[in-house]
Amino acid sequence: MVYCGKASQGCQSCRTRRIKCDKVRPQCTQCIRVAKTCPGYRDQLELMFRDESTKVIQKAHAQWGVAESLESGESSSSSPTSTTSPSSTSSRSRTSIRRISRSKSSTPPADDSWTWVGAPVELYATRSDQAVRFFIEHYLVGHPDEPKASRELQGVGWIHAPQIQNIMAAVGLASMSNLTGDKDLQIMAREKYGLALRQMVSSIANLESIDLSVSMRTIIILALFEVIRGESEGTNTRTHLMGAATLLRTLLSRSGMVSAPSHILRALLQLCFSMLVPCLVAEDNLPDIFFDWVTMCEKIASPSDKPSTDLIRIIARLVHLSAYVSRHIIADGHPKAAEVIMEALEIDVQLEAWERRQEGIWVVTEESDKAGFPPDAVFEGSYHVYTDMWTARVWNHYRWSRIMVNEMLLRFADIYPASGRPLFSAENLLRSRSSIVRVARDVLVSIPTHYRHPRLELAHRTLLDQTSGGAGMGAAGIPTLLFQIRVAGSALSVPDSYRNWAKNILETIWANTGIPQARTQAELVSKAQEGGSPRPKPVQLPPDLEQKRKPPIRSSLAGSRFQSRQPVQSPEQESSHTYLGVELSGR
């Protein structure tokens, strides 16, 4: 692939006539003025990156007198996204979601200016070039806050950075390997990943001249690569997430900023939110430095960002409680059983209070157009409108945590009947089941905001793209979204229609991106649908005996009733200010 620089964006007719084209779509003014049909515009990505190897081969064969027929592959297309103004706030219901119904006639007509122009259909010189193209089409173009068409990439500076090129190739190769079963592609992916790591080390060695945009995007894609590679324990993924957070924290400390720009603060908070799910799944404690970052964010957060710092504290409390319960066997009737029940009840009360007090930029509007959307692309024909992608992501963190704490309460009612009898009532349990169904539906309705199904048509874009801004890197939210879909689809008490839809969307994401986690989560939803998770049985142990299955964990939450006496240090905590072997001072 050869970089050919910036090319003219004018239509073919204006370039032939050597006049200035105003680039109006679908037809330029110059062509309309002379009553000609405008031939349209060229794909800018194709013009920027040209495969000159084909020309060289053809020229050589012509010199040698050899006939050559070239094959051309099929290009895949991605749905575009657009940028519109945030939705206006409105009066809110008890769940802070305003509901609006639209008729089929309200669906806007397709706008020709949004037509998706895919990457060039050509014979690529190398598999690395094909992999970069795969990344651009499946992980970049069309995702929130990313270019909506390939022609927009010519104005993106970071895409030409060597480490970005290598890690994009690594992700593309790994995804293609997952989808095709070609092990050679996986080997090539690891080689590209190694190159990107070495280039990243050189980049962060000198923080004075670091390009923060390139470095942060590289680290996030490095973490994404670990997810696509199918890492089971999540250790490397967490290492990259913590590295990105440490880098941001260090740069903020060095600058001596009392307050930070909103996008930097939100980037750090998004990284903190991203660490919650891996620790929850691994039944692990959150590192102490995590709470240092949250404390710093609390000090400099604006009033409009304060709900996010409030929520992350509550969810961290849930993660710790879940890890504690998983590491201990607690007998029904033992005082600890009542304590864990009370802790879960308090967390649920805090989450409900958090939802009730949201206003302003945090208000969510639900709109519906049941006659206009493909049923497998938009759940029940409904979708959410948020102020921006930042608030949309935070709301989904609230939802999965609310589902899990209510499932925990229902499970505690089963395994601790004696301890829970004074604490649970039939009304409490019914309310927990009702909350699970309501919030699970909200997760499924929110999905078009975060992921665009391939079957969505251009006529739906104006409706679905009302939420924009604040995402940082669009594809970065996909791994967490997969977990959220699985939690909603496999939750207790949800209808089979919820499970079927969640499983189908997960299978679609797997087929479109090659992320193995999507297929794994779909299988978990299927097991829940088949009744593969039996009801837990009460633990029959003497009331004064509490057996430990795993080493106790350390609590970093002040005031928690589950402080451990023997702290266990995780690998990340051993060097909380280094990343890839480079010391990042400035705590």
Side-chain angles (χ1 to χ4, degrees), residues 461-508:
R461 300 298 171 184
T462 300
L463 297 177
L464 296 179
D465 290 340
Q466 295 177 72
T467 301
S468 64
M473 178 182 167
I478 292 180
T480 302
L481 179 66
L482 300 177
F483 170 80
Q484 294 163 353
I485 297 172
R486 193 270 295 171
V487 169
S490 61
L492 295 172
S493 306
V494 299
D496 283 343
S497 59
Y498 288 26
R499 302 192 195 280
N500 288 329
W501 198 89
K503 181 180 68 174
N504 290 338
I505 195 73
L506 287 168
E507 291 173 345
T508 298

Side-chain angles (χ1 to χ4, degrees), residues 97 99-102 365-375 377-385 441-449 463-464 501:
I97 298 180
R99 306 185 189 278
I100 299 175
S101 179
R102 296 178 182 270
T365 301
E366 179 181 315
E367 300 186 358
S368 62
D369 188 7
K370 297 183 179 180
F373 288 107
V378 178
F379 186 70
E380 295 182 347
S382 299
Y383 58 95
H384 288 160
V385 178
R441 181 186 180 277
D442 285 341
V443 171
L444 301 182
V445 170
S446 75
I447 291 174
T449 302
L463 297 177
L464 296 179
W501 198 89

Side-chain angles (χ1 to χ4, degrees), residues 140-152:
L140 182 59
V141 171
H143 284 279
D145 288 4
E146 302 286 16
K148 64 183 179 182
S150 59
R151 61 179 173 271
E152 298 178 12

